[in-house]
Amino acid sequence: MVTIPQAVLAAPIAPGETALPEAKRFTREVLTAWAVMSVSARAERLVEELLADRTGEPVELAWIHCGQSIRLEVREKPKERTPASPAGASEWGEAYGPGVRARWATIDLPEEERAPETGEERAAEARHGAGWLGFLADASDLLAGTLDPDMVPAIIAQVVVPRLATWCAVHTAEHAGGPLRLAYVWHADETQLDRLRRRLSDLPEAGADGPELQQIGEWQTLAFPLTARGRRLGVMRLGRRDTFPEEIVQIAEDLSRRAALSMDNARLYARQAAAKLALQRSLLPPELPVIPGLDFHVIYEPAGEDNEVGGDFYDLFPVGDGAWRFAIGDVCGTGPEAAAVTGLARHTLRLLAREGYGVAAVVGRLNQAILEEGERARFLTLLHGEIASGENGVDLTLLSAGHPEPLRLRPDGTVEPVATPQTLLGIFPEADYAAERVHLDPGDVLLAVTDGVTERRSGSRLLDDDGGLARLLADCAGLSARAVAERIRRAVQEFAAEPSTDDVAILALRVP
């Protein structure tokens, strides 16, 4: 029985270390285009074996679809003189099977005795298949490149037009199985978009099973359900004036499956991101108060592009009788685990302070609360203080539990630390804490930061080496609290070329 190839896809493979990865990548693309990914593991093992001793010379890798099977050929130029054709055969070679070695040869038939499908037609079919393979691969790359649910319909429509159809409309449902709305429409002639939208506005919904053919005026349309993981997310509708070739229908159906999966992934990501954002924002303090006689500014930058809350935290809130409390702290680590302890610390501080506990008592009870978290506990550093109006300035009651020392800037540029470091929280249950009193005169600035500032690294150097932070602060004499905080932030950013990998919190208090 002679097997006639239905499709052939081939690619040159350059020698070297990239030969095998490139051959495997090409194989995966072929299997995806032919919808036979179930044999991908076997196909990649076959590629490994046939290329094992042929990585030193360029070869051509050819996959041949024979209907009931697929065949791999590794084609290379012979290293020795090619032997003469046996008996005038146009092609010859050897084939191996279980316990069998077969020598084969091909004889070209006279033109009048050849089958209707010629070798040229097969070659054209192979080239056509390779073109669609590239189209689907490019479409998959574009769809995989976004996690924005609103962008996916636009990508789908612009991929389809004009390659598969004259126009494409994508309808989506806000909830799986819900009513459809027109999310995006694209036409090869942009002047026809408004007219097309009007015609699509009252179109009956397409069925949920397979492509559905409809006639809309002069347009023949095909509607493909966008279904992923058993959920109907929308419909992709293609329109053209002539009949859809079967080949286009198959490509569009393949594309609709990829588009549906991309849309579902984008929606899942968006829901997770929204839930994460809501939880993160619940850990941030509400709107900061206005404190008479005090200029202050806070900068907070969590590490990571998608984080609003990390291991650093801050707070500033009233406790009654003309007093306010502030806190700036740093939980060990970053990310969600650190943020959980951040929430515990900030809410515990507020609750205890408003219950009338002093600064030292609040810190001691917070230490016990963290230790009670058991395995989830993480140690943290904290600067906690109370602000009260005093004669000719502001009186502060401070406690620094293992935190980078707060600095006071005098109007003449003098900088000095103003709190004694004490034991950080979450380590020793018997730790005892004591608060200190500090007075800020008019023009004085109190700067408090987390170690994302002091330990900002550039090579082997840290920003605070040899009093680096104090020198930066000394240059801020006469500036507002906002200007002081912004200057410190800019210095952190410019200290190293690479982005910071640690959370950053900066609190500046200034007496006008």
Side-chain angles (χ1 to χ4, degrees):
M1 177 178 173
V2 177
T3 301
I4 299 177
Q6 296 184 359
V8 179
L9 293 174
I13 304 297
E17 296 180 354
T18 62
L20 186 56
E22 181 66 19
K24 288 185 176 182
R25 183 197 62 78
F26 173 69
T27 296
R28 288 192 293 270
E29 290 183 355
V30 171
L31 301 184
T32 300
W34 287 345
V36 290
M37 284 298 292
S38 60
V39 299
S40 61
R42 294 161 58 191
E44 289 191 26
R45 285 197 300 270
L46 192 59
V47 168
E48 288 180 2
E49 290 187 21
L50 295 190
L51 285 181
D53 57 349
R54 292 179 171 84
T55 56
E57 297 292 336
V59 298
E60 183 181 64
L61 198 71
W63 279 101
I64 303 168
H65 200 310
C66 302
Q68 302 301 314
S69 63
I70 58 174
R71 185 171 78 239
L72 172 63
E73 291 185 4
V74 178
R75 303 165 178 169
E76 58 183 329
K77 293 182 179 180
K79 297 181 180 179
E80 300 176 357
R81 184 179 61 86
T82 304
S85 165
S90 58
E91 295 178 332
W92 65 97
E94 294 182 351
Y96 296 84
V100 176
R101 174 192 179 194
R103 300 183 65 194
W104 60 269
T106 300
I107 299 175
D108 291 336
L109 295 174
E111 189 71 30
E112 64 275 9
E113 297 179 10
R114 292 183 179 179
E117 185 182 21
T118 66
E120 288 76 15
E121 288 170 333
R122 291 179 188 165
E125 180 183 356
R127 289 193 298 273
H128 194 60
W132 286 124
L133 173 62
F135 169 77
L136 288 172
D138 290 343
S140 296
D141 287 344
L142 288 170
L143 290 167
T146 182
L147 289 172
D148 182 350
D150 295 329
M151 283 294 297
V152 176
I155 292 173
I156 294 171
Q158 295 189 36
V159 163
V160 165
V161 178
R163 189 73 183 269
L164 303 182
T166 305
W167 57 262
C168 175
V170 180
H171 292 76
T172 60
E174 185 174 350
H175 305 288
L180 297 178
R181 64 173 182 85
L182 182 61
Y184 197 87
V185 60
W186 192 245
H187 196 294
D189 181 0
E190 294 183 38
T191 62
Q192 300 297 315
L193 281 174
D194 291 339
R195 178 169 173 264
L196 179 58
R197 283 194 188 95
R198 290 193 295 269
R199 300 194 67 171
L200 293 172
S201 60
D202 57 352
L203 202 63
E205 288 194 6
D209 301 323
E212 183 176 297
L213 183 64
Q214 290 180 329
Q215 193 73 30
I216 305 176
E218 71 275 23
W219 300 103
Q220 183 182 92
T221 72
L222 271 176
F224 297 86
L226 298 174
T227 304
R229 301 180 178 96
R231 298 190 298 272
R232 180 176 182 242
L233 307 178
V235 172
M236 178 182 78
R237 189 182 298 275
L238 280 61
R240 57 191 291 166
R241 295 185 188 276
D242 57 339
T243 303
F244 282 92
E246 180 61 28
E247 185 178 44
I248 296 294
V249 175
Q250 293 176 2
I251 294 295
E253 191 168 14
D254 190 329
L255 179 62
S256 71
R257 288 193 293 268
R258 300 175 189 224
L261 188 60
S262 176
M263 184 179 295
D264 196 40
N265 287 339
R267 289 186 174 188
L268 288 173
Y269 176 83
R271 285 196 291 270
Q272 292 172 356
K276 179 180 178 182
L277 187 60
L279 289 172
Q280 287 181 339
R281 286 179 174 172
S282 71
L283 300 176
L284 293 173
E287 185 176 348
L288 295 176
V290 175
I291 302 178
L294 186 68
D295 174 27
F296 69 88
H297 190 69
V298 177
I299 290 175
Y300 179 67
E301 295 181 344
E305 295 181 359
D306 58 347
N307 289 327
E308 287 208 5
V309 177
D312 290 7
F313 65 95
Y314 68 94
D315 206 354
L316 188 59
F317 56 93
V319 291
D321 298 327
W324 291 262
R325 291 286 182 94
F326 70 90
I328 182 169
D330 183 3
V331 179
C332 173
T334 59
E337 295 81 5
V341 180
T342 294
L344 170 67
R346 197 180 66 77
H347 291 297
T348 301
L349 280 168
R350 280 199 169 220
L351 177 63
L352 293 174
R354 285 175 171 168
E355 288 294 318
Y357 288 95
V359 170
V362 167
V363 174
R365 283 166 172 76
L366 176 58
N367 183 50
Q368 294 300 323
I370 293 171
L371 290 169
E372 289 172 4
E373 289 293 296
E375 292 183 355
R376 294 179 300 176
R378 290 180 172 227
F379 64 81
L380 66 89
T381 68
L382 174 69
L383 176 68
H384 180 41
E386 182 170 286
I387 303 169
S389 298
E391 292 185 9
N392 194 32
V394 169
D395 291 324
L396 304 178
T397 304
L398 294 178
L399 195 159
S400 177
H403 200 74
E405 56 188 9
L407 301 176
R408 176 171 56 190
L409 170 65
R410 298 290 194 180
D412 62 359
T414 302
V415 176
E416 57 188 349
V418 292
T420 304
Q422 300 179 52
T423 306
L424 49 75
L425 306 182
I427 299 296
F428 302 112
E430 69 279 5
D432 189 26
Y433 297 97
E436 303 172 72
R437 297 184 66 82
V438 176
H439 181 76
L440 297 182
D441 293 318
D444 284 355
V445 174
L446 180 79
L447 176 68
V449 300
T450 57
D451 63 6
V453 174
T454 57
E455 297 181 6
R456 174 71 159 128
R457 181 175 294 276
S458 176
S460 60
R461 294 170 50 245
L462 300 180
L463 184 144
D464 198 32
D465 283 348
D466 301 321
L469 181 60
R471 290 197 302 273
L472 287 172
L473 183 59
D475 293 333
C476 297
L479 299 180
S480 66
R482 174 186 288 274
V484 171
E486 291 291 350
R487 180 169 291 189
I488 300 301
R489 171 166 61 178
R490 187 167 64 251
V492 171
Q493 293 173 340
E494 295 175 353
F495 188 72
E498 64 276 5
S500 177
T501 58
D502 197 3
D503 304 328
V504 169
I506 303 170
L507 171 64
L509 307 177
R510 181 178 181 273
V511 180

